[in-house]
Amino acid sequence: MIQIHTRLPRAVFSTVLRRRFPDSAIRCFSSAKIQNPLFDKILIANRGEIAIRVMRTAKELGIKTVAVYSEPDAYSQHVKMADEAYLIGPAASAESYLCIDKIMNVAKMTGAQAIHPGYGFLSENADFSDIVKASNIAFIGPSGNAMRSMGSKSESKYIMQDAGVPVVPGYHGENQDVGYLKDQAEKIGYPVLIKAIKGGGGKGMRIVRSASEFEEMLESSKRESIKSFGDDKVLVEKYLERPRHVEVQVFADKHDNVVHLFERDCSVQRRHQKVIEEAPAPGLTEALRAELGAKAVAAARAVGYENAGTVEFIMDNVDKQFYFMEMNTRLQVEHPVTEMVTNTDLVRWQLEVAAGNPLPKMQHELALNGHAFEARIYAENPSNHFLPDTGPLFSVRTPLPTPNVRLETGFVQGDQISVHYDPMISKLIVHGENRNDALRRFRRALEEYQVVGLNTNISFIKTVAEHPAFIEGEVETGFIEEFKTDLFKDPQAPDATTLALAASALRLKEIDNIKKSSQDPYNPWSSHTDSFRINNINHRKFAVTANDHPYEIIVSTNPKKSHLVDMEVIDATTQESLKSFTEVESHLDHEGLMVSSIDSKMIKSNVVLNGQDVVVFDEFGRTTFKLPTPAYISAVSDGHGVGSVKTPMPCKISQVLVKPGQIIEKGTALIILEAMKMEHVIKAPVAGTIDQVLYAVGDLVGENKSLVTFEE
């Protein structure tokens, strides 16, 4: 309890307070209300970057944190950061992060006073919210009833209509008969969108453009919905051809205060999942912005909402009409962009509200400040239909955090991206005085974010950020599809300078290895001091390939300056000399970057040697070269290389749709895979007869493994 004794006049005292305390504190004093104390200890029922994000604010406030983890996450960063951490089960989410009993046991055992669900997993599970509160533990989120109302896409539509919030034309009823749903789609008019009633994150969502594909898409949607949400009910809505995804951050407390913290645009998506978010949304008038905010607040009030939530709207980019899509009853992945433009800490707001305190700011105290972008950095291969990737983060260099550059991540160099969970590595958030300023900083930060070890979407996001339409703010949910020719260009031949840098790095590595060997007293070369001449490095040819095209770089000692080298870059297919460089010098600086004097200029580059890969980050972006595969490796195969269909990623077999001896047509669905909580249908590349089906339902299969073979 705070007691203040003063003989100053009230007006003078108020002035003194305003100089020393934020507005939220003044409101507390002036209203003579006592702030409830925050929690001493909270449990975070999640993993990865969101668990770390919550822990960071908690630690700043002096709140102890408890982590839970599955077996594969035993050495993860959120476990290391927490004050306490407890194993709750194996990799399967149903036996760990979705197991309410295990999480509640940990909460009670550790004396946690509140549970923060993060996003995903149990964050929108109404029963979990009820169970937590029934155990006299605070749930840092909305009530179970609010979740039920907004968690059902059909029920929420009716609630929104009653509250005066516009909704998309469609069928949101209980009749789930296939024929009836198909009739409703005909009445609405194709194209339509099938959506899981309890869905989110693009799961269970299918675009249907004609009646002929309705039943197949419906079945696929229901299958994915039951796996992700335990419910296969769907709704059918009109699909807008030029939609924008605009959402509004709302916050409500226990004292009937509801505010919005303006909007975000999340239109750039792949597989119905967001890739780039920004705040505020570009191209909106102040009147439209105010109307969006007012409708979002009305939506929250309609269900007696409490804590953080996001009201998602779909906006027709032609007439700027917007329609309620759904409400996410949790803190969103993209909440940092809102924090950057409103100077708030939304996790702290969540803690204050859960403790029973009023909102830290009222609507009149909230204002937009500049512009912010967020990129979701995924382990995935954009050039291969954005299929997820797994593996080690062999090398990671990130932008330097500043007040305008923020990185939210649950992984560091050396960590593994697992097949068991979402493939998001991190979130990169950048703020600027206006959209152009923020976008320039955003592109620069993406250049500085360099990951080796698996595929990521970093280069793709940078390509999007450089596109003229994106620069102009012309964003729609079909952006990637509309501009795919620009965004997925055929790979270009590497610049000769980049090839020379790759050879320089290989040469430095060889010299370093020889120096280390020379320190071995049992090494026959240890008495030789001219390390550059050992193994004939004074005239060395390095062979590499880029995009399956071979190159050679011949490195030789400069005849006049023996500490420098000359280089000739050759196209190994035509034997054409592409470029020659003289008096080249390269060395590593204290940060591990390679500094090269080449072609009359100094170049600082990051070159990473990872097995047979040589990855160069320079002024031309990222270039990956392949070294020749050793014979003992190339001789090894799985024995099913010819006439087979292989896995595009590590996965689990969800369904096998064919059997040996079956005659199939090109495009026939063969196997349905499950990876990163998403379904992927593998179709026949050619017509033929099935010879072998090599895996069964439930099998875990590595990348590039044969699934089905064809008879010759």
Side-chain angles (χ1 to χ4, degrees):
M1 179 175 178
I2 301 174
Q3 293 184 338
I4 300 175
H5 302 276
T6 177
R7 296 187 180 182
L8 292 173
R10 184 177 181 85
V12 175
F13 176 56
S14 177
T15 300
V16 172
L17 280 178
R18 289 188 182 279
R19 289 174 179 168
R20 298 189 59 187
F21 297 97
D23 286 348
S24 55
I26 303 306
R27 185 165 55 253
C28 173
F29 287 128
S30 62
S31 61
K33 290 181 180 178
I34 303 302
Q35 290 283 98
N36 293 327
L38 296 179
F39 312 105
D40 294 319
K41 181 188 288 189
I42 65 171
L43 181 148
I44 297 96
N46 218 296
R47 65 183 294 278
E49 64 87 13
I50 185 57
I52 291 174
R53 166 70 189 92
V54 175
M55 288 177 192
R56 188 173 68 246
T57 289
K59 287 183 178 295
E60 289 173 357
L61 296 171
I63 299 172
K64 294 179 181 178
T65 57
V66 179
V68 292
Y69 64 94
S70 65
E71 290 171 356
D73 280 343
Y75 300 101
S76 64
Q77 299 306 309
H78 82 281
V79 171
K80 295 175 182 178
M81 185 175 182
D83 295 297
E84 304 172 50
Y86 295 85
L87 175 66
I88 56 171
S93 298
E95 299 177 59
S96 52
Y97 295 109
L98 291 175
C99 188
I100 294 175
D101 289 344
K102 292 179 180 179
I103 291 171
M104 292 306 301
N105 286 340
V106 174
K108 293 171 183 177
M109 178 177 62
T110 58
Q113 298 165 311
I115 294 179
H116 195 300
Y119 55 72
F121 295 127
L122 293 169
S123 63
E124 294 183 278
N125 186 306
D127 292 339
F128 182 50
S129 174
D130 291 343
I131 290 169
V132 171
K133 292 178 179 178
S135 302
N136 292 320
I137 297 173
F139 183 76
I140 305 173
S143 67
N145 287 337
M147 285 190 194
R148 290 184 186 92
S149 295
M150 286 305 197
S152 169
K153 286 183 169 60
S154 55
E155 181 184 349
S156 65
K157 303 285 182 180
Y158 296 126
I159 294 172
M160 291 303 101
Q161 286 175 324
D162 292 342
V165 180
V167 300
V168 179
Y171 175 71
H172 314 124
E174 291 296 318
N175 191 334
Q176 296 290 302
D177 177 74
V178 175
Y180 186 80
L181 290 174
K182 193 172 183 179
D183 288 343
Q184 297 304 308
E186 292 282 359
K187 291 178 183 178
I188 296 166
Y190 289 98
V192 298
L193 190 65
I194 299 174
K195 296 165 68 175
I197 282 178
K198 294 187 177 179
K203 297 178 181 66
M205 187 181 294
R206 299 292 186 273
I207 299 170
V208 187
R209 298 194 174 276
S210 67
S212 64
E213 61 181 12
F214 183 87
E215 292 179 24
E216 179 187 352
M217 291 295 190
L218 177 63
E219 183 181 350
S220 177
S221 170
K222 283 179 170 289
R223 251 194 332 264
E224 197 167 276
S225 301
I226 198 74
K227 290 176 184 175
S228 299
F229 314 110
D231 191 325
D232 67 352
K233 292 187 179 68
V234 300
L235 55 82
V236 183
E237 291 182 338
K238 180 65 180 174
Y239 178 69
L240 303 181
E241 289 286 5
R242 291 192 59 194
R244 285 178 64 179
H245 181 126
V246 180
E247 61 187 34
V248 179
Q249 176 73 60
V250 294
F251 237 102
D253 62 22
K254 302 176 188 293
H255 308 280
D256 199 35
N257 298 309
V258 185
V259 301
H260 69 82
L261 290 93
F262 308 100
E263 81 287 347
R264 301 182 286 254
D265 190 292
C266 310
S267 297
V268 179
Q269 303 178 4
R270 87 301 181 247
R271 298 203 308 264
H272 306 295
Q273 290 184 312
K274 304 160 190 173
V275 178
I276 299 176
E277 300 100 351
E278 60 179 299
L284 301 191
T285 64
E286 288 303 316
L288 182 54
R289 176 166 291 122
E291 187 180 2
L292 277 165
K295 294 300 184 184
V297 167
R301 286 195 180 280
V303 292
Y305 199 77
E306 179 186 310
N307 216 282
T310 296
V311 182
E312 298 192 346
F313 296 100
I314 189 167
M315 177 181 289
D316 190 320
N317 207 26
V318 178
D319 60 13
K320 304 301 181 187
Q321 294 295 309
F322 62 88
Y323 306 94
F324 173 82
M325 192 161 51
E326 63 182 340
M327 184 174 186
N328 289 313
T329 53
R330 53 173 165 80
L331 193 66
Q332 287 279 85
V333 176
E334 58 271 22
H335 75 273
V337 288
T338 295
E339 292 180 322
M340 294 289 254
V341 297
T342 57
N343 296 316
T344 54
D345 180 339
L346 296 187
V347 173
R348 179 166 186 168
W349 278 44
Q350 286 192 290
L351 294 168
E352 293 281 5
V353 168
N357 293 322
L359 294 175
K361 289 185 178 182
M362 296 296 115
Q363 194 67 61
H364 69 278
E365 298 172 289
L366 291 163
L368 285 169
N369 173 37
H371 203 97
F373 288 95
E374 175 181 285
R376 300 190 187 191
I377 308 301
Y378 282 102
E380 65 182 16
N381 188 350
S383 62
N384 189 19
H385 308 290
F386 295 96
L387 289 179
D389 201 2
T390 61
L393 293 169
F394 178 79
S395 174
V396 178
R397 283 185 180 272
T398 63
L400 182 68
T402 70
N404 288 313
V405 178
R406 175 172 158 186
L407 191 67
E408 301 283 354
T409 183
F411 301 96
V412 297
Q413 181 171 297
D415 285 350
Q416 289 270 341
I417 303 299
S418 165
V419 68
H420 303 294
Y421 308 114
D422 189 90
M424 190 170 73
I425 299 171
S426 65
K427 302 180 308 197
L428 175 65
I429 309 99
V430 178
H431 178 264
E433 294 179 2
N434 51 53
R435 192 174 189 273
N436 287 337
D437 182 46
L439 190 52
R440 185 185 65 255
R441 296 172 188 262
F442 186 52
R443 290 193 294 262
R444 176 60 176 162
L446 288 166
E447 286 179 7
E448 295 173 344
Y449 203 154
Q450 301 167 357
V451 176
V452 176
L454 38 64
N455 291 300
T456 76
N457 63 344
I458 295 173
S459 296
F460 173 77
I461 293 173
K462 184 171 179 292
T463 302
V464 171
E466 293 171 339
H467 195 279
F470 188 84
I471 292 171
E472 291 298 318
E474 293 297 324
V475 288
E476 297 175 1
T477 57
F479 183 93
I480 292 176
E481 179 65 23
E482 180 179 357
F483 297 109
K484 61 183 179 182
T485 304
D486 300 332
L487 302 177
F488 298 98
K489 293 180 179 178
D490 292 334
Q492 302 295 306
D495 188 86
T497 303
T498 305
L499 282 156
L501 293 175
S504 293
L506 290 168
R507 174 179 169 269
L508 289 178
K509 181 64 176 177
E510 286 196 354
I511 292 174
D512 183 61
N513 288 341
I514 292 172
K515 286 180 177 178
K516 289 178 180 177
S517 297
S518 68
Q519 297 169 7
D520 180 358
Y522 301 101
N523 190 311
W525 303 105
S526 60
S527 60
H528 293 258
T529 58
D530 187 357
S531 60
F532 187 55
R533 293 183 180 276
I534 295 175
N535 290 336
N536 202 30
I537 298 182
N538 59 326
H539 188 85
R540 178 76 161 88
K541 180 169 70 175
F542 294 98
V544 299
T545 61
N547 305 314
D548 296 324
H549 191 92
Y551 298 91
E552 295 173 350
I553 307 96
I554 298 174
V555 182
S556 56
T557 305
N558 182 274
K560 296 180 180 179
K561 301 176 181 177
S562 60
H563 63 290
L564 303 178
V565 297
D566 297 336
M567 293 183 168
E568 184 179 9
V569 179
I570 298 171
D571 184 320
T573 300
T574 64
Q575 290 301 306
E576 175 190 0
S577 178
L578 301 178
K579 191 167 184 176
S580 295
F581 302 92
T582 59
E583 299 185 358
V584 177
E585 188 274 335
S586 295
H587 66 274
L588 300 180
D589 68 7
H590 67 284
E591 295 179 335
L593 297 175
M594 189 171 73
V595 181
S596 303
S597 174
I598 182 171
D599 208 20
S600 301
K601 59 183 177 181
M602 294 292 293
I603 297 176
K604 183 178 285 190
S605 59
N606 180 26
V607 185
V608 180
L609 308 182
N610 179 26
Q612 299 305 111
D613 291 352
V614 181
V615 185
V616 180
F617 297 93
D618 62 2
E619 61 182 309
F620 301 102
R622 172 185 173 137
T623 307
T624 300
F625 298 103
K626 295 284 186 181
L627 297 174
T629 303
Y632 71 90
I633 294 178
S634 60
V636 177
S637 73
D638 65 359
H640 300 289
V642 178
S644 65
V645 175
K646 298 190 175 186
T647 53
M649 77 205 97
C651 59
K652 180 180 179 181
I653 305 299
S654 179
Q655 286 192 68
V656 176
L657 305 175
V658 293
K659 57 186 178 181
Q662 182 175 339
I663 299 173
I664 52 96
E665 298 297 324
K666 180 180 179 180
T668 300
L670 304 175
I671 287 181
I672 298 177
L673 312 178
E674 184 181 344
M676 307 294 188
K677 302 187 286 188
M678 298 287 284
E679 276 194 354
H680 307 273
V681 180
I682 302 300
K683 297 184 178 182
V686 294
T689 302
I690 301 296
D691 181 28
Q692 298 179 74
V693 177
L694 301 171
Y695 293 96
V697 172
D699 287 350
L700 294 175
V701 188
E703 182 179 5
N704 202 35
K705 298 297 182 182
S706 294
L707 293 168
V708 172
T709 62
F710 296 92
E711 292 182 1
E712 296 183 2

